[in-house]
Amino acid sequence: MKSQNKYRKFQLQQQNIEALEKENTRFKRVYSEYENMSDELWNLENSNSNPVPDDFINAMMVQTSYLEEEIEDWLIQFNQNKSEVKS
């Protein structure tokens, strides 16, 4: 049994992400890059093939965390705008 991909932290907000992807092409590119990098990072960490240097994995982890922060900022702003519209 494969373990859950720990880098997919936005699964519970998928509805908001889909709405943002429709509204904003830049968000769509950033989120797509995040998905690709998180999948690749998870594959590298769970692979039985040739080992990858720790420096490379650490660099991917840093980049993935930057993308996560940017996505989180967008989601916070999106949720704030959504709640302002309801008020």
Side-chain angles (χ1 to χ4, degrees):
M1 187 171 132
K2 284 194 168 189
S3 60
Q4 179 73 22
N5 185 340
K6 67 182 178 185
Y7 298 105
R8 288 302 184 96
K9 66 185 272 180
F10 299 111
Q11 290 177 336
L12 298 176
Q13 299 186 51
Q14 204 57 43
Q15 211 171 19
N16 291 343
I17 287 169
E18 289 171 7
L20 271 167
E21 285 179 324
K22 289 177 185 174
E23 292 176 11
N24 190 315
T25 57
R26 185 167 187 276
F27 176 83
K28 186 175 183 173
R29 284 191 312 269
V30 168
Y31 191 75
S32 176
E33 182 68 18
Y34 166 75
E35 283 185 316
N36 291 335
M37 288 195 73
S38 63
D39 286 343
E40 188 60 35
L41 187 54
W42 188 84
N43 289 336
L44 287 172
E45 289 181 336
N46 292 288
S47 172
N48 293 330
S49 63
N50 295 333
V52 177
D54 287 343
D55 288 346
F56 182 77
I57 290 178
N58 290 339
M60 285 188 70
M61 290 172 89
V62 168
Q63 181 62 32
T64 302
S65 70
Y66 286 142
L67 293 170
E68 281 179 0
E69 289 174 14
E70 190 169 354
I71 291 166
E72 285 171 351
D73 289 345
W74 254 313
L75 288 170
I76 289 168
Q77 186 176 13
F78 180 79
N79 287 328
Q80 286 174 344
N81 290 343
K82 213 163 69 169
S83 65
E84 287 173 4
V85 170
K86 286 183 181 178
S87 305

